[in-house]
Amino acid sequence: MKTFYWLVKREFWEHRGGFLWAPVVTGGVFLILNVMAIITAEVMSARHGMQIGGNDIGMMMRNADAGDLAQVGAAADVAMISSMGMIGIVMGIVVLFYCLGSLYDDRRDRSVLFWKSLPVSNTSTVLSKVASAALVAPVIAVVVSIACGLLQLILFAIVLSFHGVNAWQLLTLSHPIRAIVSLVSNIPLYALWAMPAIGWLMLCSSGARSKPFLWAVAVPVVLGLLVSWFGIMGLFNLPTAWFWGNVVQRVLLSVFPGSSLVFDKHGLQGMNDLGDNNPLGVLSPDHTYGLLASPNLWIGVLTGAVLIAGAIWFRRVRDDS
């Protein structure tokens, strides 16, 4: 276990730029863009007057009923978790290219000969890279997103306090603890959902003699075109879109957070019942953990395990020297 811990730590040290600084810089850019938007709004309001519906914001808050305050709280929640969207996209790109280079780069610069000379098994090496992609990267991204979300919420509260809004009231209308719990609780689901993509990308990284990115993208896309051209899915009474959604997209795009909400039927089920004043409901464990009942998830986990086993085998037998 101690060896595995140091292997994961080695991955973090070697890829700190992608795992740590990429989400930090993205979060910083996100906050700077919001500050610029606030400054622009303040300049515009100074020139034309900040009037919404004939009342200023402070008066609207004082005259708001329970339904209006719930909507204000929902807007604050959206502002708090919105940073996760941009950071999640960047994290997905980082994980995609990390997996593609995780086993190929060692062979390209021949450092694999050094690492294989150490008393560390190929299985531990590959699994440490899987843990880095499936757990280390999303944990750091979520922590950075939470920090950015809280900073943005405090920033909005301070700005609105200059317009007569009680900053403490605005903060109490939001649900930061619930947002943090929802984001953290989704990390294990991300690890399971991303498994087929991580397995496929690492298989290409360990097996391809060159250009693993081309192999990773071309093989499923060409298979999809062949399936579409010859109507192969018709033999199973399934539409061609099934292959693209459950095979091509799963092995290429599952590393992006939130893809389960788009590609799995469960993710879209019940979203209409969440209500306009409950934006955190989409990320709440009550909704997202229903994914555990989806065969799509577990078939993907099993497929990912097989692909990772293939990556370990290629790591053991591949000799490019």
Side-chain angles (χ1 to χ4, degrees):
M1 183 58 71
K2 192 173 182 180
T3 302
F4 188 80
Y5 167 77
W6 282 106
L7 286 172
V8 174
K9 204 163 186 177
R10 169 208 161 196
E11 294 301 316
F12 174 74
W13 283 340
E14 290 190 349
H15 302 87
R16 185 180 302 184
F19 286 160
L20 177 61
W21 294 117
V24 168
V25 171
T26 304
V29 171
F30 181 81
L31 289 175
I32 291 174
L33 291 176
N34 277 278
V35 170
M36 292 172 62
I38 291 172
I39 293 174
T40 302
E42 290 295 325
V43 172
M44 295 295 292
S45 66
R47 291 179 178 176
H48 305 290
M50 194 169 185
Q51 297 291 324
I52 301 176
N55 297 313
D56 61 42
I57 297 178
M59 184 173 293
M60 289 183 64
M61 288 290 293
R62 287 189 292 273
N63 297 329
D65 57 20
D68 296 332
L69 293 177
Q71 291 185 356
V72 172
D77 291 339
V78 171
M80 192 166 46
I81 63 174
S82 57
S83 62
M84 186 60 200
M86 184 182 294
I87 293 175
I89 292 174
V90 172
M91 190 210 80
I93 296 173
V94 168
V95 171
L96 190 151
F97 284 99
Y98 165 76
C99 292
L100 281 174
S102 60
L103 299 171
Y104 173 74
D105 291 344
D106 288 352
R107 291 189 290 116
R108 184 180 57 180
D109 59 18
R110 299 293 190 266
S111 63
V112 66
L113 300 176
F114 168 75
W115 294 113
K116 282 189 174 183
S117 67
L118 299 177
V120 179
S121 67
N122 292 304
T123 301
S124 296
T125 300
V126 174
L127 291 182
S128 69
K129 296 175 184 295
V130 172
S132 299
L135 293 174
V136 174
V139 166
I140 294 175
V142 165
V143 170
V144 174
S145 299
I146 291 171
C148 289
L150 293 176
L151 286 174
Q152 176 158 280
L153 182 62
I154 294 172
L155 177 66
F156 283 168
I158 293 174
V159 172
L160 290 177
S161 67
F162 291 108
H163 295 278
V165 177
N166 187 324
W168 179 250
Q169 181 190 18
L170 183 63
L171 294 176
T172 55
L173 289 174
S174 62
H175 309 86
I177 302 300
R178 187 180 168 196
I180 293 172
V181 171
S182 297
L183 290 175
V184 172
S185 67
N186 278 281
I187 294 176
L189 280 183
Y190 170 82
L192 293 174
W193 180 259
M195 205 53 67
I198 292 174
W200 169 247
L201 295 172
M202 285 193 173
L203 180 70
C204 294
S205 180
S206 64
R209 294 191 180 278
S210 64
K211 301 176 179 58
F213 177 81
L214 184 62
W215 282 98
V217 175
V219 170
V221 170
V222 169
L223 284 176
L225 293 175
L226 292 175
V227 167
S228 301
W229 183 269
F230 294 106
I232 295 175
M233 297 312 298
L235 300 176
F236 307 98
N237 292 324
L238 292 171
T240 301
W242 184 94
F243 186 86
W244 286 95
N246 292 276
V247 178
V248 180
Q249 291 177 337
R250 287 287 274 130
V251 300
L252 293 179
L253 303 180
S254 295
V255 292
F256 289 89
S259 58
S260 61
L261 296 174
V262 179
F263 299 140
D264 189 79
K265 290 189 297 183
H266 164 78
L268 300 176
Q269 290 175 350
M271 291 187 67
N272 294 330
D273 300 330
L274 296 176
D276 296 333
N277 297 334
N278 186 24
L280 295 180
V282 179
L283 300 175
S284 69
D286 293 339
H287 177 67
T288 57
Y289 270 70
L291 184 64
L292 294 177
S294 171
N296 192 354
L297 173 71
W298 297 111
I299 292 173
V301 171
L302 180 61
T303 304
V306 173
L307 294 172
I308 291 170
I312 295 172
W313 182 79
F314 271 121
R315 170 83 175 184
R316 184 182 303 121
V317 302
R318 177 66 79 199
D319 182 8
D320 294 331
S321 60

